[in-house]
Amino acid sequence: MSRANNATMRAAVLHRLGDPLKIESVPIPRPGAGEVLIKVVACGVCHSDVHACDGDWPTPPALPLIPGHEVTGHVVELGSGVTDLAVGDAVGVPWMYSACGACEYCRAGMETICKQGEATGYSKPGGYAEYMVAPAAFVAKVDADADLYALAPILCAGVTTYRGLKRSGARPGQWVAVIGIGGLGHVAVQYAKAMGLRVAAIDVSMEKLALARTLGADALFEVGAGVEASIQTHLGGMHGVLVTAVAKQAFELAVHLLRPGGTAIYIGQPGGMADDVRNSIDRVVNWELSIRGSNVGTRQDLHEAVDFAASGLVKAQVAMTTLDEINSIFEQIRQGTVMGRKVLKIA
């Protein structure tokens, strides 16, 4: 399908960091070599989108910016050289827009830290729009009958937590804690259970802990005095801890929940406070603990994470909304009141 050069689309656009997004009419992009044009069906709203628009991270996004990196839709146009996808295919676009494929990190299967990598909805236009362009090699083809609204959060919340759990090294039957049962955490609980792990859910909200219980969590802990002692006494500590919350206290707590030899995985990214996190060197050294960062997922992680969801083992709790409500949704995320995942119904 070929589109006129002057064709336009609706999109939510950020022009200055910290400002509200503006719903505008902008040109529909055209796919270049190796790219596809996607008619967006749905786009999940991630806390990272809020951080991007608020300018919370050291490297600012490219402005003007169309955010959104949990994108599902259908291919409507192929750029030259694209042979693995066809017009009409259902696809998903994750945070990792592209990687060079040739550096030492890409060759080692760590394309998530490629120094030439691009990010959807950050350095490249994302899915808060009716159409977007993406490299064909980095999108995930999904089943034609897939629920593209339910699948959208898997493109970030799913693949990110799935990779984090893999990087924890926890084995079936062992204990992992998920700190923060929000957009990422409620999906992490499901991936952990699907991987045969026992799960302790930790949050400040009893409502979110109740959600974790319905999703299969084996133990629930409200953040407060005594949570560390309770977990160490009754469960012997955690083999792995996945931090999806954005409060610095969550990152500090994670190390105290580990049993000897355990691993804390940092996923959530606190806006403007990451450098303030403190940990006990004595505890890390004497118990031989590990602290690892986990940054989204590789293409292989993406396909594996999508397969879990397609098999019905993982399903995001989705609340549908519209592009016109985006600024209100951002404020709800800032206040920590969103349950599950907000998904924009674009098409």
Side-chain angles (χ1 to χ4, degrees), residues 176-213:
V176 295
V178 177
I179 303 181
I181 312 301
L184 273 73
H186 88 283
V187 176
V189 169
Q190 297 176 70
Y191 274 105
K193 294 301 296 180
M195 295 164 72
L197 301 168
R198 292 189 286 178
V199 182
I202 303 172
D203 204 288
V204 298
S205 165
M206 289 305 299
E207 186 179 10
K208 291 184 178 180
L209 289 176
L211 171 62
R213 172 67 82 189

Side-chain angles (χ1 to χ4, degrees), residues 133-148:
V133 162
F138 287 83
V139 304
K141 185 177 178 180
V142 300
D143 291 341
D145 59 352
D147 182 342
L148 298 186

